[in-house]
Amino acid sequence: MSLMFTKGCQHAIRALIYLAERKGSGPLKVKAVSADLDLPYPYLAKIIQDLARRNLVSSQKGPGGGISLARDPAKISLLEIVEAVDGSRGL
């Protein structure tokens, strides 16, 4: 059995892995993340908002702001990511 994820979930997973790999380096700009992952900025920005509403990422506004993981990556489940991006319909 293989798992099929929506594009939104795939992008969210990639973004969270990217943030986890750079944990401790401070907040990262969404534009920089989208450029590094070759993802459309407006689409990734919407996904980041969904992840922030579920406390998977935290965001800081201002010149030194950006996004970072809200908690230890080992404590973020795949189910939480799917529900954040697709809601219960993604299950």
Side-chain angles (χ1 to χ4, degrees):
M1 178 176 135
S2 66
L3 297 174
M4 300 290 289
F5 296 108
T6 64
K7 283 276 191 213
C9 280
Q10 291 173 33
H11 295 338
I13 293 165
R14 289 182 61 205
L16 290 172
I17 290 170
Y18 182 89
L19 292 174
E21 290 173 340
R22 285 150 187 84
K23 187 175 176 169
S25 63
L28 302 172
K29 303 289 185 198
V30 177
K31 281 194 180 200
V33 175
S34 71
D36 286 351
L37 295 177
D38 195 28
L39 299 175
Y41 169 73
Y43 192 37
L44 181 60
K46 186 217 171 286
I47 291 168
I48 294 299
Q49 287 177 343
D50 293 337
L51 296 172
R53 274 194 280 280
R54 294 292 187 110
N55 297 316
L56 298 174
V57 299
S58 59
S59 63
Q60 298 168 298
K61 296 183 186 214
I67 58 168
S68 57
L69 289 178
R71 58 183 193 248
D72 183 345
K75 296 187 180 189
I76 296 175
S77 73
L78 193 53
L79 178 60
E80 286 181 287
I81 301 167
V82 172
E83 287 178 337
V85 176
D86 288 340
S88 60
R89 72 178 183 276
L91 303 177

